[in-house]
Amino acid sequence: MKKLYSFFKSMRFGLILLVLIAVCSVIGSIIPQDKEISWYVQNYQDLHGVILLCKAHRIFQSWYFIVLLALLSLNLLLCTVTRLRTLLSTRSGPDPVAYSPDEVHLSEAGMSMLHEHLIRMRCRESRYGNSVIYRKNSFGRYGTFITHLSILLTVIFGAAALYLPTTIDQTCVPGESITMEDGTEIAVDSFHIENEYGDLDYASKVTVTLPNGKQSDLTEVSVNHPLSFGEYKIYQQTYGTAGSVTVRNTDTDGVDTLTLTDQCFLSIDGNNGMWYEAIYPGYIQEEDETITLITSTTGRYEDPVYQVLLSSDGVNTPVLAFPGEKLTVYNMEFTFNDPVEYPGLRIKHTPKLINALLIAVFVLMIIGLYITFFLQPVLVKVDDTGYAVGGPKPDGMRIELQTLLENEQVQEENDEC
């Protein structure tokens, strides 16, 4: 049991876990995450079986990645507890340097000079028997403990930031907005599939308004450039193309323009009107003048075609309509417009407390590293005949005191001459 405990808290085990987590992170960076299974089948024809079997398409939610994080947390927890126990045990009694034999024997003048130098260094004094212990940077003993604790908290809060946020996918037509449960409003100003040079460049211009009224700047969101504002992070996830129809009531001359993303029936009396079925990106006209619809494409719809049914007195007539064309049913006139491109947004909500805790832990880590490397504890035992140096890294103090005493001795010899 002791061997198992020693292994779980060992640095070797911690390094193995860090390497495995790094490998998983690299795989998760190379293979796009959280796509549809069909996407991996299409884009990784030879490897999709292995990817799906090993859950590499959702590696950060896989059971083995979660186990690695749990084991790393256990390793860091045991290391932190071990260091805390060591600190508490050494604090309850005198430092071992108090019982160390003198490393250097000094004359009475040397002893006096040593005492004065240590006092000038603002060392704290404590007496054990016939010896005086001079301490400086005593808090430096806690440097490794604080560092290990901050790393442990980083893993815990990092996992919370990975698994606690909620993610939803929403489509939004330009000019409209999405209202979240907490009242946050995400408005899409515009969206384009191609840039000014005709290259595919899916990007939306979005503003976010928080419940307190604070609003983000109008920001372009593209595939690799999300918008972060408040507790929300907004990604450009996918896109779609919707039909646009202007409906005019010929009796009242009332006009309304509708953006159609789903099948629907447009009618005033509930019986006569138009069934909107779909919009297609293009068509091929055969020699016999029959039309074959193109059902899928990449990018913009070059020759869009509307597929509709005109319903009149119970008779449904299928019609293919093109932008600019008008159809009339009873007192309704339908004008078909150019299609509307709209984005599919992935909206990630992370509680503000998690981000605040992560920032606090990073600050704690910097403090721990500073204490560890720049505030090393200094311990010097001085008795009636000489001194000894202790602490985690005593060589620096040994050299400093040796240099001080040698210089003073040379000075005394020069004064005598």
Side-chain angles (χ1 to χ4, degrees):
M1 192 67 181
K2 288 184 177 179
K3 290 184 178 180
L4 186 63
Y5 175 80
S6 299
F7 174 73
F8 276 124
K9 74 172 184 177
S10 65
M11 182 179 293
R12 177 183 298 178
F13 182 57
L15 290 175
I16 292 173
L17 293 173
L18 287 174
V19 170
L20 292 176
I21 291 174
V23 171
C24 291
S25 300
V26 170
I27 294 174
S29 300
I30 295 175
I31 300 176
Q33 299 292 292
D34 299 322
K35 299 284 188 181
E36 297 292 335
I37 292 178
S38 58
W39 189 91
Y40 297 97
V41 174
Q42 181 179 358
N43 290 274
Y44 296 92
Q45 297 180 2
D46 298 329
L47 295 175
H48 71 272
V50 177
I51 291 174
L52 297 176
L53 179 64
C54 298
K55 299 186 181 300
H57 64 306
R58 294 181 178 175
I59 196 166
F60 300 114
Q61 286 80 37
S62 64
W63 66 267
Y64 54 85
F65 187 80
I66 295 174
V67 169
L68 288 175
L69 289 180
L71 289 175
L72 181 61
S73 298
L74 176 62
N75 173 261
L76 293 169
L77 177 62
L78 294 177
C79 291
T80 303
V81 171
T82 300
R83 279 164 173 74
L84 180 60
R85 290 173 58 185
T86 302
L87 289 171
L88 295 177
S89 63
T90 56
R91 186 178 179 181
S92 60
D95 195 275
V97 74
Y99 306 108
S100 301
D102 291 341
E103 298 176 4
V104 178
H105 294 278
L106 297 175
S107 63
E108 184 176 346
M111 296 292 296
S112 176
M113 180 191 58
L114 178 61
H115 281 289
E116 291 177 1
H117 177 72
L118 294 174
I119 291 173
R120 284 197 302 270
M121 289 178 62
R122 297 182 180 178
C123 295
R124 296 174 58 189
E125 298 181 41
S126 57
R127 181 171 293 276
Y128 293 102
N130 296 325
S131 302
V132 178
I133 305 296
Y134 288 92
R135 304 173 185 270
K136 187 176 182 181
N137 298 335
S138 298
F139 191 74
R141 297 184 302 127
Y142 295 90
T144 55
F145 166 73
I146 294 175
T147 301
H148 277 82
L149 177 62
S150 63
I151 296 174
L152 171 62
L153 294 177
T154 299
V155 174
I156 294 174
F157 295 146
L162 183 63
Y163 298 114
L164 289 184
T166 57
T167 301
I168 62 171
D169 294 333
Q170 288 275 9
T171 59
C172 186
V173 175
E176 297 184 0
S177 61
I178 304 166
T179 301
M180 309 303 293
E181 291 184 359
D182 63 354
T184 297
E185 186 178 89
I186 300 170
V188 177
D189 179 76
S190 61
F191 171 73
H192 65 259
I193 294 177
E194 298 177 355
N195 59 22
E196 56 183 335
Y197 305 106
D199 300 324
L200 293 178
D201 179 29
Y202 310 100
S204 309
K205 289 189 176 181
V206 177
T207 57
V208 179
T209 305
L210 301 179
N212 61 8
K214 187 176 181 181
Q215 188 177 68
S216 70
D217 295 330
L218 183 63
T219 305
E220 185 171 272
V221 177
S222 57
V223 175
N224 296 316
H225 298 86
L227 165 63
S228 295
F229 191 72
E231 298 181 357
Y232 288 89
K233 198 166 189 177
I234 302 165
Y235 301 83
Q236 175 64 51
Q237 177 73 3
T238 183
Y239 72 97
T241 302
S244 176
V245 177
T246 299
V247 184
R248 185 173 71 88
N249 187 328
T250 56
D251 293 337
T252 64
D253 211 32
V255 177
D256 195 7
T257 298
L258 306 175
T259 300
L260 309 175
T261 57
D262 299 307
Q263 292 182 347
C264 61
F265 183 54
L266 304 178
S267 173
I268 294 177
D269 58 13
N271 294 314
N272 302 292
M274 183 186 75
W275 281 98
Y276 169 79
E277 293 192 333
I279 183 170
Y280 293 94
Y283 62 93
I284 299 174
Q285 189 168 4
E286 307 292 347
E287 293 182 357
D288 58 358
E289 296 187 355
T290 60
I291 292 178
T292 302
L293 298 176
I294 299 173
T295 57
S296 63
T297 188
T298 300
R300 304 189 64 179
Y301 284 15
E302 298 296 336
D303 299 302
V305 182
Y306 288 86
Q307 184 178 10
V308 300
L309 288 175
L310 297 182
S311 182
S312 177
D313 296 328
V315 178
N316 294 328
T317 305
V319 176
L320 295 179
F322 303 90
E325 189 173 346
K326 295 182 180 182
L327 298 175
T328 302
V329 179
Y330 277 83
N331 58 344
M332 299 181 68
E333 181 185 75
F334 300 95
T335 302
F336 297 89
N337 308 314
D338 290 328
V340 176
E341 299 163 349
Y342 63 91
L345 302 176
R346 172 157 292 181
I347 305 169
K348 185 176 181 181
H349 176 248
T350 303
K352 189 177 295 184
L353 178 62
I354 294 178
N355 293 330
L357 289 173
L358 280 173
I359 293 173
V361 168
F362 288 143
V363 173
L364 182 64
M365 184 183 297
I366 293 172
I367 293 173
L369 292 172
Y370 178 81
I371 293 173
T372 300
F373 291 104
F374 298 102
L375 294 180
Q376 286 289 335
V378 174
L379 297 171
V380 181
K381 182 212 73 170
V382 181
D383 56 24
D384 296 337
T385 58
Y387 70 90
V389 180
K393 295 182 179 180
D395 292 340
M397 177 56 70
R398 286 196 181 103
I399 295 173
E400 180 180 341
L401 295 181
Q402 183 180 357
T403 303
L404 170 73
L405 295 170
E406 287 177 352
N407 292 339
E408 186 65 26
Q409 184 177 3
V410 170
Q411 184 63 38
E412 289 179 358
E413 292 176 354
N414 291 336
D415 290 344
E416 291 177 359
C417 295

